[in-house]
Amino acid sequence: MAPETPTGVDHTEQGGVGLLSVGTADGPTAESVVPAPREAGPVRSAWQRGLARYGYRAPERPDLAEQLMPPMPDGPGVTPRRVEPSPLLAGWGIVLPAALWSWLCRWSGWLGPLAVALFGGVLRFSNLGEPSALIFDETYYAKDAYALWHGGYEIAWPDDANAKIMAPDQSIPFRTDPSYIVHPPVGKWLIGLGEQLYGMNPFGWRFMMAVLGTLSILMIARIGRRLFRSTLLGCVAGLLLSVDGLHFVMSRAALLDLVVMFWCLAAFGFLLLDRDRTRGLIARRLETEPGGEWLFLGWRPYRLAAAVCIGLTCATKWSGLYMLAAFWLLGALWDASARRLAGARRWLAFGIWDASLALLVMPLVAASVYLASWTGWFLSSSVPGQGGYGRDWAVHRAGLSPEYVQGIKMPFQVDMTWVPDALRSLWHYHATMYDFHTHLTSPHTYQSNPWSWLVLGRPVSYFYESPKSGQPGCRASECAREVLGIGTPLLWWAGVVALLYCLYRWALRRDWRAGAILCGLAAGYLPWFMYQQRTIFLFYAVAFVPFLVLAVTMMIGALIGPANASRDRRVIGATGAGLLILAVMWNFLYFYPLYTGETIPMDDWRARMWFTSWI
């Protein structure tokens, strides 16, 4: 694009801050900041002329390059080197040096998300070692993680292992007997990293979960900023995630589902980067090759990074396979829409080509990452009883394909002897794992149906004690101490409304942002409806919590209103949005004792049990 041509205007529909930044290819200038919304576009119909009598202004349609790649709201290359002082701060009597204020504005896209992540990190690391116990499934994953780092595979622990690990004079009864496990190892490798750094204790095995929880807050703030083209809304998304109860509890417990959430969110972020990068490439190509008829859209490093993250998701829990399918489809639709917008006559054919190429590359990359995660198991001994569970299964065994598949007798069997023993053993091991997951129907006190998840029908109690008067922390006649895996109720219930809003935006307004949010949420939520007879829990929902938060953030942006709305409209909208955020934060603080296992009077505990299904 020629230097004198504007590269973009921050005309985001939601969450604008009042000043619009216009830049050139040589970078923005002080004159690039204008104090008012751009002029309205031409009135195109009698209906719009009628609405104009009541103050309606039809939006101006941006040029093609800007449609392909809307500008970011701030940052180097966008924010001018000198920014006028803020009238709001001046009204409060706050005057900052011009150079400092300009620097803060230029780097607000990082400073805001980092501040929100710091807030969430302090919450998560505060008193992380309490309760000082192996809570819920930590009894499996903390010990499996230790075994992976010390032997390369999971082992069978003696019955008194928990007591010895938590004893004041700790002794760790490590041995080499292999154990049958049903989840891949990446999440446990990460848990074990904290144990290597800080020891085999509650703080050690929860450390990496708190790290990933904090980093996910930073990620969603940056993702929200890129998705909505608003630093303000990005920080709102980070703030809301930092005060979600389920995300908070899972960030302080050594379970696998937060790891699934982290890699899934990272994959989504890389796909967003790939979308912007690819559309920027198309915009540049249109300068010299109008029409958009190109076979290749260039090197896709961010899409490969997304595939790596999806592989790590699958290598934590198999539910990542649904993320692979959903994000492949999302990327394919984005590519096709970019070609169509660029004016390609054969956009559908080329879109199918892009999708086919992605279907070849993404699963291959993800599968390679998945296999690499089993390195410790591969390197263990194939001598019976001396390596990982099932490592010796294919040794001296005929390499024939299965006689039955899903209960159906195959017409013939294929000689598979050419496949290495280790891979055949791993395949058989996975077949038994799949059988376990699909037939897991053992009743559990805290199991729940996915229909109830969005309204928090049945949370999971990770830890519970009933201290008596005089015991540490108990000053009432009877007290309670619990870690309850439940989302912040007001946030989740607002999320239900926000999802309806996103459905409206996607179906009737063709808003790609709403479609992206719904895609991520559907991939983490809808597959569980196929397993309603299986023993499943609410905390599985942490995988789609970031997308629920993004939906609420998008609704908040709509409440604030577009940048060209009237002052009264913006004030009323911002007030409503602020009250919603404050209500969510209050709700988090109200349930904070149940998230952290604080000792509280029994009456206070009962007051927080809003529904009998929460007990």
Side-chain angles (χ1 to χ4, degrees), residues 329-330 333-334 498-519 554:
L329 179 61
L330 185 63
L333 292 176
W334 282 350
L499 291 179
L500 295 176
Y501 171 71
C502 285
L503 282 170
Y504 153 72
R505 292 290 308 184
W506 174 58
L508 300 181
R509 300 295 298 275
R510 293 178 295 176
D511 192 324
W512 71 271
R513 301 167 301 176
I517 293 169
L518 292 172
C519 179
M554 188 169 181

Side-chain angles (χ1 to χ4, degrees), residues 329-350:
L329 179 61
L330 185 63
L333 292 176
W334 282 350
D335 286 347
S337 66
R339 288 185 182 275
R340 184 182 184 185
L341 183 60
R345 293 182 299 277
R346 295 175 293 172
W347 63 269
L348 181 58
F350 279 97

